[in-house]
Amino acid sequence: AEGRGLVEELIAGLLADGVVLARVNDDVTPREAGELLGVSRQFVDKLIADGRLAARFKPGSRHRVVRVADVLELEASRRAAADRIGATIDVLVDAGAEY
């Protein structure tokens, strides 16, 4: 997707997958965050517990919510890390390393 920024690519990918994207300042449940990330709710719970994804409790409730902006930021970070790994593998293969 030449000429597109990472956020635009994420949004385009989410829309292509049939996900209706909320506004970036909206809150979603951990299940919905998992759907946006393509992971399970349990994995989102682990991300929250590990401090990698911010969450807060709904007022007067034990239910947590996550900001869409934080979900998109985490996904951008995950994609950037995957891109760095891919680039490193490409350099190693180009240098003659067995893959």
Side-chain angles (χ1 to χ4, degrees), residues 29-88:
T29 66
R31 180 188 58 78
E32 292 166 331
E35 289 174 3
L36 290 170
L37 293 169
V39 299
S40 69
R41 181 203 43 85
Q42 291 84 357
F43 187 70
V44 171
D45 288 341
K46 181 174 178 2
L47 292 171
I48 293 168
D50 292 347
R52 294 182 56 206
L53 183 61
R56 65 177 178 77
F57 289 99
K58 291 173 82 173
S61 173
R62 292 184 10 205
H63 297 282
R64 291 182 295 187
V65 291
V66 180
R67 281 185 344 125
V68 169
D70 293 333
V71 174
L72 290 175
E73 185 178 315
L74 177 65
E75 179 62 11
S77 171
R78 289 170 41 126
R79 284 189 183 208
D83 289 346
R84 286 191 304 274
I85 291 168
T88 301

